[in-house]
Amino acid sequence: MLTIYSLVGDLHISLSGWRYPSKQYRENSNNIINQFDLDKSTGNLDDNIDNIIISKKFIKNREIQIELFNVDKKLSDHIGICLTVIE
């Protein structure tokens, strides 16, 4: 069986809120995320298509901290995300 520990980057999909690029694309992505037992760690962030998706097994019994930067979008047209896993 394939093991995925994390997916990071401009996945070009909004996982919550505003549907982008489409309802079907989001449903397909969420099905894959569920199939591989992944956590949508950044899936609830507003105005975000750059996501960090991480294995639930990897983060089990760990704390996740998410920090945002470039929220004013002066450096890029995307917000910046830093995800820290704390043991």
Side-chain angles (χ1 to χ4, degrees):
M1 177 179 183
L2 178 65
T3 301
I4 297 177
Y5 292 103
S6 68
L7 301 172
V8 178
D10 181 358
L11 304 180
H12 216 67
I13 180 172
S14 172
L15 295 172
S16 66
W18 174 59
R19 287 190 183 120
Y20 183 82
S22 70
K23 178 182 178 182
Q24 184 63 44
Y25 194 86
R26 178 188 287 174
E27 287 175 2
N28 291 342
S29 297
N30 281 325
N31 287 338
I32 292 167
I33 289 166
N34 291 331
Q35 176 185 351
F36 289 99
D37 200 28
L38 302 172
D39 179 76
K40 300 181 287 187
S41 301
T42 58
N44 292 326
L45 296 176
D46 291 333
D47 193 23
N48 179 46
I49 59 171
D50 305 314
N51 290 284
I52 301 171
I53 301 168
I54 196 162
S55 167
K56 289 180 181 178
K57 291 176 186 174
F58 181 76
I59 61 173
K60 185 177 180 178
N61 300 321
R62 296 178 176 166
E63 178 185 348
I64 299 295
Q65 291 181 347
I66 295 176
E67 297 174 71
L68 303 180
F69 60 96
N70 194 46
V71 292
D72 58 5
K73 297 188 179 177
K74 290 184 178 181
L75 299 172
S76 164
D77 63 338
H78 296 245
I79 62 171
I81 305 165
C82 177
L83 183 141
T84 303
V85 179
I86 301 169
E87 292 196 48

